[in-house]
Amino acid sequence: MSRGVTARLFKGDRTVWCVFFILCVLSLIEVFSASSRQTFESESYWGPITKHSIFILAGVFVVWFMHNMKSSWIKGMTKIIYFLGLGMLIYAALGGGSVRNNSNRWITIMGFEFQHFEVVKLGIVMIISSILARAQCNEGTRLSWNSALSFFGIAPRAVDKKGDYTMLTILALVAIPSVFIITENLSTVLILVLVTLAMMIIGGVNWKQMLLLVGTGIVAIVLGIAVLMQVPEEFKEAGSIGNKVITWKHRFEDVFKADGNTDPKKVKIAGEEQRIYSKIAIAEGGFFGRGPGNSVRRDYIPHANNDFIFAVILEELGILGGAVIVILYLILLYRCGKVANECEDPYASFLAIGIGILITIQAFMHMYITVGNFVTGQPLPLISQGGTSFLVNCMYIGILLSISRYVNRLNKEKETKTNRETEALS
């Protein structure tokens, strides 16, 4: 009886459900531990964790709701979500955003504040999936202006005809929102670029075009960093953009100067609390860690419950616990690939693998930021405290489960058909 109820409530890939619930439990434990500074500032012991618990419960409902949606309905939301995210970026650029830590990453509508970048990420993955799906043909992936315009209903779909095939379609759809994001969060743009490249490679885009694109990108990055390093310190007086450019310069300088042999007595902690104390926390955690709730450095790490929660995890659970979390994200990526491989709908297939790539790249970037020298803000998916970020990541999981539910139904139909054919022959 219980199995029947469970099967009806939690449909789709069981492994994805298990990984999701394990990450939620880890999030509840580690956010509670890492919120000591927030608890002190709010003068409420239970306030921060109560709020996060509500978001976790809301996230579970979002997953359950989304996984019951038909994959065709999700496909129909592609344009809406993409343009909704783009509209939010424009709204924030016109003064509707809330500035925190010199970054305009939040918008407030009708009293609700949320991170619009998360909506943009989902919209880009969905729209790339749609264009790649429409570009599929017997010879591989053909990205033509015609196949792209057919997505917007401007031109008929004609992927089987020869024409001017190009990657500019996808690149333009990614570049437009990236222009608004890059001055506020460079790491988010990097995530979008990596996800886009990975999806195009998996989609079978012409390898010569991909080599040209990657080569051009590498040259542009090297030249950009070279120019950035020559910007004078006085440029920070040119307003918020100038201050942001100088901040980027200092972060790249930290990366280039890091040699691992710095004299501890010469290390300046002021202004570098996140980078310094996160490394101290990792070193003190050792292999097995101090144990859940026993972090010492959480009180010294700014945003320990969000952008640097992995440092608290490594201090409390050790390298062993950190390795388990890495494995959980890799399992999630593997299940996304498995669902995508078994899916007959090209759009759903690209969307499933795109979601897996997005979550994994963001998770690994968060981990790199924690253990490396480049400091920027990226939450750990499904673990870090955060309202919009957590709920949108739950939407990713719900969409993936909806696709896997569709795949399971197809597999059952094939199995039933095979059994009937076998019975007929016998």
Side-chain angles (χ1 to χ4, degrees), residues 13 17 55 109 113 118 137 204-205 235 257 313 366 393:
D13 194 300
W17 275 112
F55 274 114
I109 299 177
E113 189 176 65
E118 301 299 328
C137 64
V205 175
F235 190 69
K257 292 179 180 179
I313 292 173
H366 174 99
N393 277 283

Side-chain angles (χ1 to χ4, degrees), residues 21-252:
F21 281 123
I22 291 173
L23 292 175
C24 285
V25 172
L26 287 171
S27 175
L28 192 64
I29 295 172
E30 294 304 323
V31 168
F32 186 39
S33 176
S35 298
S36 57
R37 175 180 286 201
Q38 190 178 6
T39 299
F40 175 78
E41 293 174 351
S42 64
E43 298 181 352
S44 173
Y45 183 79
W46 293 105
I49 192 59
T50 300
K51 182 179 179 181
H52 186 59
S53 299
I54 293 173
F55 274 114
I56 289 180
L57 292 175
V60 172
F61 174 77
V62 168
V63 173
W64 179 83
F65 178 81
M66 293 295 297
H67 102 292
N68 278 299
M69 292 183 65
K70 294 181 179 179
S71 57
S72 58
W73 295 358
I74 295 173
K75 184 177 182 179
M77 297 166 57
T78 300
K79 300 176 188 177
I80 297 174
I81 293 179
Y82 176 81
F83 286 109
L84 176 64
L86 188 58
M88 289 179 177
L89 289 174
I90 296 173
Y91 174 76
L94 295 177
S98 302
V99 178
R100 294 182 184 176
N101 301 318
N102 297 320
S103 295
N104 189 5
R105 305 180 189 179
W106 292 263
I107 63 173
T108 303
I109 299 177
M110 299 178 64
F112 293 96
E113 189 176 65
F114 51 91
Q115 291 178 307
H116 50 296
F117 290 176
E118 301 299 328
V119 180
V120 174
K121 291 177 187 176
L122 176 58
I124 287 179
V125 171
M126 294 179 75
I127 204 166
I128 292 176
S129 300
S130 181
I131 298 235
L132 286 174
R134 288 174 176 266
Q136 296 301 301
C137 64
N138 295 332
E139 299 176 10
T141 301
R142 288 178 171 177
L143 298 179
S144 67
W145 288 112
N146 209 38
S147 63
L149 293 175
S150 68
F151 172 81
F152 298 99
I154 300 175
R157 182 180 177 185
V159 297
D160 292 329
K161 296 180 179 180
K162 294 183 178 181
D164 181 23
Y165 303 111
T166 177
M167 293 188 300
L168 293 178
T169 305
I170 288 179
L171 297 181
L173 291 171
V174 176
I176 293 172
S178 296
V179 169
F180 293 93
I181 299 174
I182 192 168
T183 57
E184 307 298 336
N185 196 330
L186 182 62
S187 58
T188 296
V189 174
L190 179 58
I191 289 174
L192 293 177
V193 169
L194 293 176
V195 171
T196 301
L197 290 175
M199 291 185 68
M200 287 196 294
I201 291 173
I202 294 172
V205 175
N206 185 280
W207 65 271
K208 293 181 180 179
Q209 293 181 337
M210 290 298 300
L211 286 177
L212 178 62
L213 175 64
V214 173
T216 303
I218 292 174
V219 172
I221 291 173
V222 172
L223 291 176
I225 294 176
V227 172
L228 180 65
M229 301 307 291
Q230 301 303 317
V231 176
E233 292 293 322
E234 293 76 13
F235 190 69
K236 64 182 178 182
E237 300 177 1
S240 59
I241 295 180
N243 186 54
K244 180 69 68 173
V245 170
I246 297 301
T247 300
W248 290 347
K249 177 183 177 181
H250 291 167
R251 289 175 177 174
F252 279 111

